[in-house]
Amino acid sequence: MALSERTEEDKIEIVGQFKHIQVRTATIVERDGEELTRAFSRKALAPDADVSGESAEVQAIAGAVWTQDIKDAYAAHIAASDPS
């Protein structure tokens, strides 16, 4: 009876005007190859995020959807939202 735990990015979504990337990660516990439980965590990445520590798939998506126009529009939106 061997227990094992693994994680996988099971859902990646692109949402909103500024193409935020949402990543859902599943943590799966198995006994002898049969799944016992699955838990989820999420994170959202904005166009100004450093994705160098993300998976190759997330990096590729960021490179494809975060054009310079999107990055500039997001930076302008953040600057306009700053109350100082």
Side-chain angles (χ1 to χ4, degrees):
M1 185 181 322
L3 287 177
S4 62
E5 179 179 298
R6 63 185 169 87
T7 60
E8 62 183 46
E9 291 177 343
D10 70 333
K11 186 181 281 191
I12 302 172
E13 301 171 307
I14 301 159
V15 297
Q17 174 184 0
F18 301 112
K19 310 295 187 214
H20 284 75
I21 300 172
Q22 293 181 353
V23 181
R24 185 175 82 172
T25 302
T27 301
I28 303 150
V29 176
E30 298 174 323
R31 180 187 306 140
D32 297 328
E34 185 175 330
E35 184 174 317
L36 297 176
T37 185
R38 182 179 289 243
F40 300 104
S41 62
R42 275 190 182 271
K43 63 182 163 186
L45 303 167
D48 61 352
D50 176 9
V51 293
S52 62
E54 301 297 330
S55 69
E57 185 175 14
V58 170
Q59 289 180 29
I61 292 168
V65 300
W66 289 347
T67 63
Q68 193 59 51
D69 287 343
I70 291 291
K71 291 178 182 181
D72 292 346
Y74 183 70
H77 172 74
I78 295 299
S81 300
D82 188 8
S84 57

